Amino acid sequence: MDTSFQAKPGISAMTLSGEETFPFLLIQTKLHRPRLNRDQVTRQHILDRINANLCLNDGFSRALTLISAPAGYGKTTLLCQWLEDCPHPNAWLSLDEDDDDPVVFLRYLIEAIRKILPGVCPETLRLLAAPTEPPLDYLSATLINELAGLHETPAKTSTPVTGIILVLDDYHKISNSKAHSFVDGLIQRLPGTVHLAIATRTDPPLPLVSLRAGQQMAEVRAENLRFTLKEAQLYLEQAIGAGLNQEMVKTLEARTEGWAVGLRLAALSLHGAKDQARFIRSFRRGGHRYVMGYLMDEVLTHQSPATQEFLLKTSILNRFCAPLCHTVLNGNQPSTSDFQAENSSQVIIEALDRANLFMVPLDYEGVWYRYHHLFRELLNQRLLATYDRKNITVLHHRAGDWLGQAGLVDEALHHFITAGDVPAAIRLIETHRVEAMNRKQWQQVERWLQRLPAEITEQHPTLLLLRVWLLHIQFRMRDIPPLLDQAQTLLDKNDAKMTDQTQKQLQGEIDMLRSQISYWRGEGQRCLALARRSLAVTPAEHTRTRGLALVYAAGGLQQTGNIAAALDLLRDGLQDTNLLSSTTTLQLLFGQLTIEFLAGDLKSVTRTATHLLDMPQEQAGPTSGAWKHYYLGRTELEQNNPVKAQTQFTAVLEQRYVTHARIVQDSFYGMAVAHQMLGQSAEAGEFADAASAYAVEVRNTRSMLEARSFQARLALLQGRPELAGQWAQEIPREIALFPALFIEIPQATQVKAMLSQKTPDHLHQAEMVLNRLQHFVTNTNTPWAMIEIMALQALLNNAQGNREQALTALEQAVSLARPGGFIRVFVELGPQIASMLQQLTNRGKASDFTEQILAAFPGSLWKDKITADHEAPIQNLAEPLTQREMEILRLLSERLTHKEIARKLVISPLTVRKHTSNIYQKLGVQKRAAAVATAEHLGILRPR
Amino acid sequence: MVQAPQKLTMYTPAIFRVRVQGVLDKDWGNYFDTQAVSIEKDTAGFLTTVLTSKPVDQSALVGLVNYLNSLGLPLISIECLNQ
């Protein structure tokens, strides 16, 4: 194979999209509008009809143009002709079966739009990169929002966008009802500045009746597309010259029923026919298939045997370029010498292109082509009839080899699996998996696995391990150990005959994943040993595993009491340029933040988080913001700044579908605690409920139990100890001790609930639980949690009548809290702590920090600090209003009409309506009055 | 609405009667143009839905059949009422 030539099409056909963490490779040729063939007849009357229906006047007059006609009627050609002279920027997407997955579909749709408006729809794109698929409604709402905003904030374009056209060609390839309902929703709420054009062989399951009735759709159907006699004549003259008389044209038009592809085939046949009149006479009555079959025979017989073979054999390919065709036809025979030879693939392709033989060029360089779909189907039928299965399998095999080497993994997998060669498919995945993992292309990995039967992925260590990785990124820790055991057994048996090196690498991954489990079980020694073992065998280029192994090695060091060594390890890692990528940088910084927080060093947390903020996003990765806000929120919360904490947690929650589920869960708790600190019990309760609902949404059983624990904690704070007591008796034993990293520590809540009951029996239970917790926290070395434990010991001792021990414990707590400035923990434990602190002061054992804590205690439980550090109104919405929406909400409250608002903000009334409906949706209301009232109630709007 | 007999082509609009087993309960009315829908019991006592289309071409007809298929309703028959 001529490798120098091969490299080029591989790259031009498939380039990595700009940002590193996107989960897909995009096939760029799907986004090119096909080049028009030279022998076209301009279908002016149809174009006029489309354009007449598409006047752009403060938004397009219609949302949709539907071109619905059977194969070969010239739908794609018509679209190309239309867009050629269309004044509006237009984006093109040729759909195929893979786009059935709504996420893939949407990913391509945005990439298509970005071809004309670079950098737009960043939010939707971020959602698509999330490790788990966000709800489709949310995706569609986000996309619509961003599309609606296009003309207001022309991203990187100098002129504002007045209207764009999105083309979806081959829409009949979509069969997934989820994808259809996505498009349905899109059409229903499409901003006036966007027009959708759909070409399809059959009517799509979209609400066409209501679109027709509401004059929201223009239609072009087979009846419009069929060639009139005049057009047929024009076309045939162009194609074969003026040799045909009127009668002959009439016969052809009648026989083909004005069917574009039939006329094309007829022209091709006539071109080579010696006796045109005889050919036309022999062209008898029959249906399309008959016409097609007859004409195909004619066309094929005019081709040389080499070209015939080429056409049949390459019909297995979705798209092709010369080197790929060469490989499919000849296998690995070198071609350098006969590259320009008469029958080389390159020469044949050029000849076919010149002859207009149903080739659709897919790029402007003349490298990639596809066949006209109908033509390919017929060629493929003929291939199956001409060659035996064995021969065809060989072709698929060769195609898979070439595509795999060019990095077109999905297409290669398709051919290998069609050829029934599972081992080749597995080898291909093995070759590409590390890069996919490093680039966080998890959805792609999931698709690869889905192409293979489950019984195969369960029996192969590499594939099984990929399944574990998918669980790992979804943080489904409970499901991991059994699969890891299974993977270990398979690896030890080595039925797959892997090399030593591969075995070692896989062992490194298993060790890293086991190290992670050990960390969460609080087994620091084991965690450290496993992580080190993993680092010893994992090669440098496997950055994903190495980065995580480093983090867990640091975690192991932290749990075994070497916090300084842990931080050094991470800082060294951050200096190691081999490791640096957005994924690993983020992992290491996340490790650093976590350990600094656990150590109670809030100053360092703030510094590291700020550093993360200053890093360019390409380096830190798109989800880094959420981590930064999360740890800043935790810091503000501990330092008793509830309003500032809310700002940070709100920023995390804004990214709830993009970022890690664990910090989203925690941010709901953070919001609830902050509200409670501000004396806003109802809001606190709402966020606690939201935390429970979220745990259910992400199907995490531990989080569900933890959220109930948090509800009990809130009940205590709100003076409902019975509820908490009931919970403390029943639930906590199901919750295992867990390294104290997060806001809610169920065992601490259990102790508080027991203490609130005050019977000797309860106190005894509290003591047992607290001692167990203290033991665990000591063993896992999380100093920040020790502050609360010592404060709880003080309360317990006090309740047991051991005054002196109580004060000693509290003194210890204060001295632990002092370096980081932890205050919230004392205030949350209530007035009893305040009076003990007062006693410490009276004994002269207080510092200025004790004063600070005492000053934070409110007269009531927690004083209303809302005006203290208050800048902007705080929003209590799960999905906060944007700045623009706030602006419009304010104007709505002033009773302005949509038109007046539009004039005031210099946007279209349509956009105002769009924003308004978003506002209503976010506030959960139907009407303006209710929106204003709700917003005032939530404190988003100042009451008039 | 019945037209004079004519040759059916891929583009000629025609009226079709489509019969499926089971009952359509979705808001299909927005998805497909019909002039009549009835629910009947077949000889074996099963409920069938009979849709009579407005004049539609082949792409629309196949679209309807695909749609019914995606709803999980087994197709019993399609008749062209023009002939």
Side-chain angles (χ1 to χ4, degrees):
Chain A
M1 188 178 344
D2 181 354
T3 46
S4 65
F5 191 70
Q6 183 200 328
K8 182 183 154 205
I11 291 159
S12 76
M14 177 87 98
T15 45
L16 262 179
S17 58
E19 282 134 284
E20 202 201 358
T21 44
F22 285 138
F24 306 119
L25 290 162
L26 293 173
I27 298 163
Q28 296 292 325
T29 49
K30 289 171 56 166
L31 308 173
H32 283 289
R33 166 159 39 112
R35 183 157 52 87
L36 274 172
N37 276 317
R38 286 169 298 278
D39 62 351
Q40 298 306 327
V41 173
T42 305
R43 318 293 308 275
Q44 201 53 51
H45 61 285
I46 315 179
L47 298 179
D48 291 345
R49 183 190 158 94
I50 297 177
N51 286 324
N53 279 308
L54 193 80
C55 42
L56 179 74
N57 180 15
D58 196 12
F60 284 110
S61 49
R62 279 161 218 255
L64 176 68
T65 296
L66 178 72
I67 303 179
S68 182
Y73 266 92
K75 299 181 290 293
T76 304
T77 305
L78 180 76
L79 277 169
C80 291
Q81 288 184 356
W82 174 44
L83 295 178
E84 195 92 315
D85 294 320
C86 175
H88 311 294
N90 46 75
W92 184 279
L93 173 56
S94 300
L95 296 163
D96 59 37
E97 288 78 2
D98 282 341
D99 301 315
D100 229 11
D101 178 342
V103 170
V104 179
F105 171 77
L106 193 48
R107 183 69 190 81
Y108 272 106
L109 184 62
I110 291 178
E111 191 63 18
I113 300 172
R114 283 184 160 210
K115 289 254 177 255
I116 48 169
L117 298 169
V120 299
C121 301
E123 269 308 308
T124 316
L125 211 49
R126 264 154 41 91
L127 289 172
L128 291 174
T132 41
E133 188 184 310
L136 217 51
D137 282 352
Y138 188 80
L139 270 174
S140 128
T142 311
L143 176 68
I144 287 160
N145 243 334
E146 291 194 301
L147 289 178
L150 282 184
H151 71 295
E152 285 171 32
T153 48
K156 296 178 191 168
T157 54
S158 49
T159 46
V161 182
T162 50
I164 61 167
I165 293 169
L166 304 183
V167 177
L168 303 177
D169 196 16
D170 295 329
Y171 189 81
H172 55 271
K173 296 278 176 75
I174 302 288
S175 60
N176 183 340
S177 62
K178 270 169 79 184
H180 286 308
S181 53
F182 179 80
V183 174
D184 189 346
L186 195 63
I187 294 171
Q188 300 298 332
R189 293 181 288 167
L190 207 61
T193 46
V194 182
H195 182 81
L196 198 65
I198 288 179
T200 174
R201 286 186 186 177
T202 59
D203 284 15
L206 300 169
L208 302 181
V209 175
S210 43
L211 287 167
R212 225 172 259 141
Q215 302 204 316
Q216 277 299 299
M217 172 172 79
E219 273 176 283
V220 177
R221 309 197 62 91
E223 186 157 28
N224 314 110
L225 279 166
R226 73 191 178 98
F227 275 60
T228 60
L229 187 58
K230 223 169 124 193
E231 283 176 322
Q233 183 163 14
L234 202 64
Y235 172 72
L236 289 170
E237 273 171 17
Q238 270 182 26
I240 47 177
L244 298 179
N245 62 36
Q246 186 69 19
E247 204 48 42
M248 290 159 121
V249 173
K250 236 180 183 162
T251 313
L252 281 177
E253 194 272 336
R255 293 289 183 266
T256 58
E257 295 170 352
W259 188 34
V261 84
L263 278 172
R264 170 76 79 78
L265 278 169
L268 285 165
S269 309
L270 280 168
H271 203 56
K274 286 184 194 104
D275 185 347
Q276 295 182 331
R278 227 192 97 209
F279 170 79
I280 290 170
R281 274 199 307 278
S282 69
F283 191 18
R284 272 162 301 175
R285 185 175 285 273
H288 276 202
R289 279 286 156 185
Y290 175 80
V291 171
M292 195 72 192
Y294 180 81
L295 291 172
M296 270 292 279
D297 282 342
E298 284 295 318
V299 170
L300 278 178
T301 35
H302 292 318
Q303 309 301 324
S304 71
T307 304
Q308 286 189 32
E309 187 193 345
F310 179 94
L311 287 169
L312 294 191
K313 288 186 170 173
T314 55
S315 73
I316 64 162
L317 301 167
N318 251 325
R319 57 196 131 242
F320 53 84
C321 57
L324 171 56
C325 294
H326 177 85
T327 305
V328 167
L329 289 162
N330 308 307
N332 274 332
Q333 287 167 31
S335 69
T336 332
S337 54
D338 65 349
F339 172 57
Q340 286 301 332
E342 194 183 343
N343 291 328
S344 80
S345 296
Q346 181 66 29
V347 171
I348 292 177
I349 287 176
E350 280 167 12
L352 291 173
D353 192 15
R354 270 197 305 277
N356 275 334
L357 208 68
F358 299 102
M359 302 262 290
V360 183
L362 293 174
D363 52 33
Y364 300 107
E365 295 88 35
V367 177
W368 284 88
Y369 292 86
R370 68 167 168 82
Y371 289 117
H372 184 283
H373 296 307
L374 189 61
F375 188 63
R376 181 180 160 206
E377 284 159 28
L378 287 162
L379 285 174
N380 205 247
Q381 282 171 14
R382 225 156 267 251
L383 173 78
L384 292 170
T386 317
Y387 292 88
D388 63 28
R389 190 157 282 283
K390 228 178 173 175
N391 281 324
I392 298 172
T393 302
V394 171
L395 301 180
H396 279 293
H397 223 285
R398 291 169 176 171
D401 279 338
W402 190 94
L403 290 161
Q405 278 178 33
L408 300 162
V409 182
D410 272 301
E411 284 166 278
L413 280 177
H414 162 76
H415 286 291
F416 282 142
I417 288 163
T418 312
D421 190 349
V422 173
I426 294 176
R427 275 197 303 279
L428 188 66
I429 293 176
E430 282 179 330
T431 310
H432 290 274
R433 77 185 181 103
V434 170
E435 203 194 348
M437 284 162 60
N438 287 348
R439 288 178 185 278
K440 281 193 178 173
Q441 288 158 344
W442 297 112
Q443 298 186 9
Q444 181 118 18
V445 169
E446 200 164 1
R447 279 219 315 280
W448 293 348
L449 292 179
Q450 277 165 359
R451 284 186 187 267
L452 292 163
E455 60 268 24
I456 285 171
T457 53
E458 278 160 19
Q459 288 310 314
H460 198 279
T462 320
L463 302 181
L464 191 63
L465 211 50
L466 279 177
R467 287 220 174 282
V468 179
W469 275 104
L470 290 173
L471 292 172
H472 156 87
I473 56 125
Q474 294 162 0
F475 209 64
R476 282 166 58 186
M477 304 289 265
R478 280 184 177 204
D479 304 334
I480 292 179
L483 287 188
L484 270 185
D485 290 344
Q486 213 177 321
Q488 185 73 62
T489 312
L490 289 171
L491 187 64
D492 294 341
K493 276 204 306 203
N494 195 16
D495 287 343
K497 306 261 182 310
M498 284 173 291
T499 61
D500 267 10
Q501 204 195 352
T502 313
Q503 257 186 310
K504 260 190 195 159
Q505 280 180 26
L506 292 179
Q507 188 63 53
E509 288 170 46
I510 292 179
D511 285 343
M512 191 291 292
L513 291 160
R514 282 199 195 286
S515 157
Q516 179 191 28
I517 290 164
S518 297
Y519 182 84
W520 292 104
R521 286 181 179 158
E523 302 161 356
Q525 288 293 356
R526 196 172 140 69
C527 165
L528 179 60
L530 285 164
R532 282 186 169 151
R533 235 171 71 178
S534 172
L535 283 169
V537 293
T538 306
E541 65 273 15
H542 201 148
T543 53
R544 178 101 201 150
T545 307
R546 278 196 80 83
L548 281 167
L550 258 181
V551 168
Y552 284 103
L557 283 168
Q558 167 253 316
Q559 287 195 342
T560 52
N562 293 309
I563 285 179
L567 290 172
D568 282 345
L569 188 66
L570 293 172
R571 288 192 196 112
D572 287 351
L574 282 165
Q575 300 301 318
D576 181 353
T577 43
N578 280 333
L579 264 180
L580 285 189
S581 71
S582 71
T583 324
T584 41
T585 308
L586 185 59
Q587 276 164 4
L588 298 180
L589 280 172
F590 150 70
Q592 192 181 337
L593 278 169
T594 306
I595 291 173
E596 284 165 350
F597 186 87
L598 297 182
D601 184 358
L602 297 186
K603 281 194 197 94
S604 295
V605 171
T606 310
R607 193 164 1 122
T608 310
T610 316
H611 170 64
L612 195 55
L613 173 73
D614 294 339
M615 269 166 77
Q617 227 204 17
E618 312 84 70
Q619 201 185 340
T623 57
S624 58
W627 286 99
K628 178 204 71 180
H629 290 300
Y630 169 70
Y631 272 109
L632 289 178
R634 297 274 314 258
T635 302
E636 297 289 2
L637 197 65
E638 294 304 341
Q639 294 179 337
N640 211 37
N641 303 318
V643 175
K644 285 182 181 160
Q646 280 176 342
T647 311
Q648 303 292 347
F649 288 130
T650 304
V652 179
L653 293 178
E654 275 174 16
Q655 304 189 23
R656 59 182 285 187
Y657 294 114
V658 184
T659 192
H660 202 294
R662 186 55 247 193
I663 66 170
V664 175
Q665 184 75 40
D666 239 33
S667 296
F668 282 118
Y669 303 144
M671 287 303 279
V673 172
H675 274 294
Q676 193 59 41
M677 287 164 84
L678 294 166
Q680 300 159 347
S681 296
E683 288 87 344
E686 279 166 25
F687 276 103
D689 291 345
S692 300
Y694 183 74
V696 173
E697 186 183 317
V698 297
R699 296 192 296 274
N700 187 321
T701 41
R702 183 183 165 94
S703 298
M704 290 180 211
L705 291 167
E706 189 190 82
R708 288 185 68 177
S709 167
F710 184 81
Q711 296 271 14
R713 170 170 163 189
L714 202 60
L716 280 171
L717 288 171
Q718 297 181 344
R720 292 176 281 132
E722 325 73 45
L723 204 78
Q726 199 185 339
W727 169 85
Q729 293 296 345
E730 288 164 11
I731 309 296
R733 97 184 42 104
E734 296 169 35
I735 313 179
L737 278 161
F738 199 61
L741 264 62
F742 305 115
I743 291 178
E744 176 59 17
I745 303 170
Q747 287 76 15
T749 298
Q750 194 184 6
V751 172
K752 291 178 206 169
M754 300 287 183
L755 286 175
S756 75
Q757 303 289 305
K758 293 198 177 77
T759 69
D761 200 30
H762 279 117
L763 292 184
H764 178 66
Q765 281 186 43
E767 188 176 350
M768 302 236 305
V769 175
L770 185 55
N771 288 343
R772 215 151 46 87
L773 178 61
Q774 183 168 355
H775 185 73
F776 188 82
V777 167
T778 310
N779 277 342
T780 51
N781 190 32
T782 44
W784 84 282
M786 198 52 94
I787 303 170
E788 182 165 21
I789 287 167
M790 292 321 290
L792 284 170
Q793 286 288 6
L795 286 176
L796 177 66
N797 282 319
N798 200 42
Q800 289 170 331
N802 305 323
R803 285 275 174 86
E804 289 309 311
Q805 273 173 282
L807 289 180
T808 315
L810 187 59
E811 216 184 325
Q812 259 180 288
V814 173
S815 74
L816 285 171
R818 190 176 170 186
F822 285 80
I823 292 176
R824 189 266 322 157
V825 51
F826 297 102
V827 183
E828 184 176 337
L829 290 176
Q832 230 178 355
I833 290 281
S835 80
M836 282 194 272
L837 284 170
Q838 197 59 56
Q839 287 173 43
L840 282 177
T841 314
N842 296 346
R843 291 184 180 190
K845 285 187 168 176
S847 60
D848 50 342
F849 185 57
T850 323
E851 294 300 322
Q852 235 178 297
I853 302 174
L854 275 169
F857 276 91
S860 61
L861 184 58
W862 269 333
K863 72 177 161 192
D864 195 339
K865 269 189 69 174
I866 192 144
T867 47
D869 51 352
H870 162 188
E871 285 157 23
I874 323 130
Q875 295 191 14
N876 310 327
L877 298 174
E879 204 189 320
L881 300 182
T882 63
Q883 220 171 338
R884 184 57 127 201
E885 287 163 358
M886 277 301 301
E887 219 169 337
I888 288 172
L889 180 62
R890 253 176 242 126
L891 296 172
L892 285 172
S893 77
E894 289 166 18
R895 301 214 170 81
L896 264 61
T897 66
H898 282 170
K899 259 197 185 144
E900 288 166 330
I901 296 176
R903 217 170 303 134
K904 208 157 180 163
L905 299 177
V906 207
I907 55 180
S908 76
L910 217 70
T911 311
V912 175
R913 211 167 311 141
K914 199 78 243 161
H915 282 304
T916 311
S917 82
N918 285 336
I919 295 170
Y920 292 175
Q921 195 199 336
K922 286 180 181 179
L923 292 170
V925 298
Q926 312 283 342
K927 290 200 167 101
R928 173 192 295 229
V932 173
T934 308
E936 285 176 358
H937 173 73
L938 290 172
I940 295 171
L941 264 187
R942 229 171 277 279
R944 282 154 295 158
Chain B
M1 284 298 276
V2 177
Q3 298 161 354
Q6 65 176 101
K7 182 181 176 256
L8 199 60
T9 69
M10 293 299 274
Y11 54 82
T12 332
I15 296 169
F16 296 92
R17 183 188 289 147
V18 179
R19 193 184 290 268
V20 290
Q21 191 137 79
V23 179
L24 258 183
D25 57 355
K26 269 191 75 146
D27 55 342
W28 50 269
N30 275 336
Y31 292 81
F32 194 72
D33 238 347
T34 49
Q35 46 177 311
V37 179
S38 62
I39 294 173
E40 297 170 5
K41 251 188 195 155
D42 69 7
T43 46
F46 294 114
L47 287 178
T48 61
T49 304
V50 183
L51 298 140
T52 310
S53 77
K54 290 190 178 159
V56 294
D57 66 16
Q58 293 292 307
S59 290
L61 174 66
V62 178
L64 169 69
V65 172
N66 285 342
Y67 178 63
L68 293 169
N69 179 273
S70 74
L71 295 180
L73 299 169
L75 182 64
I76 298 170
S77 65
I78 305 176
E79 277 171 89
C80 179
L81 301 187
N82 283 38
Q83 263 107 35

